[in-house]
Amino acid sequence: QVQLVESGGGLVQPGGSLRLSCAASGGIFSVYAMAWYRQAPGKQRELVARIGNYETTIYADSVKGRFTISRNNAKNTIYLQMNSLKPEDTAVYYCNKDPPFYSVAKGEYWGQGTQVTVSL
């Protein structure tokens, strides 16, 4: 049973930083490309950053140069370092593999996410 637990979100002022963590269990995650996604109110979920099993990284244009994704396979943990945060980064952030975990019986699996709010 796959379980993804995101943490580290919060309220931060524009220009500030946060570090998100995702603890994964129930699988051998080192073989997967893992990613951070986000969903802002009224918008579709979007992929923000991706790290392959050989640690190659890809970023959405909107976060390139500000966010850094990393992984610790020994701890089954994925991180997202977010710097120079902007109000438009406000969203619920989720981790998952790319593509997301899916079962015929239950559809896509997502954790509870962690809220990031960037505001004065």
Side-chain angles (χ1 to χ4, degrees), residues 3-119:
Q3 190 170 21
L4 302 167
V5 180
E6 301 91 347
S7 62
L11 173 63
V12 63
Q13 292 186 351
S17 297
L18 284 173
R19 188 190 194 212
L20 307 184
S21 298
C22 170
S25 60
I28 303 174
F29 294 90
S30 60
V31 302
Y32 298 129
M34 297 296 293
W36 283 95
Y37 303 77
R38 68 184 180 188
Q39 187 167 22
K43 295 188 176 181
Q44 287 191 329
R45 188 152 28 206
E46 61 174 346
L47 189 148
V48 172
R50 179 187 190 273
I51 184 165
N53 53 349
Y54 291 106
E55 303 201 8
T56 53
T57 57
I58 296 173
Y59 297 93
D61 287 343
S62 58
V63 307
K64 207 171 290 183
R66 300 187 297 122
F67 289 10
T68 303
I69 187 172
S70 60
R71 67 193 299 166
N72 184 328
N73 289 333
K75 295 184 177 181
N76 273 353
T77 303
I78 312 299
Y79 304 98
L80 186 68
Q81 177 67 44
M82 306 188 295
N83 299 328
S84 302
L85 283 161
K86 304 176 180 180
E88 51 263 44
D89 295 318
T90 296
V92 179
Y93 284 71
Y94 304 86
C95 72
N96 211 321
K97 75 177 186 71
D98 179 30
F101 287 105
Y102 175 87
S103 70
V104 173
K106 298 182 179 180
E108 286 188 350
Y109 167 78
W110 293 92
Q112 85 288 350
T114 186
Q115 175 71 48
V116 172
T117 303
V118 184
S119 179

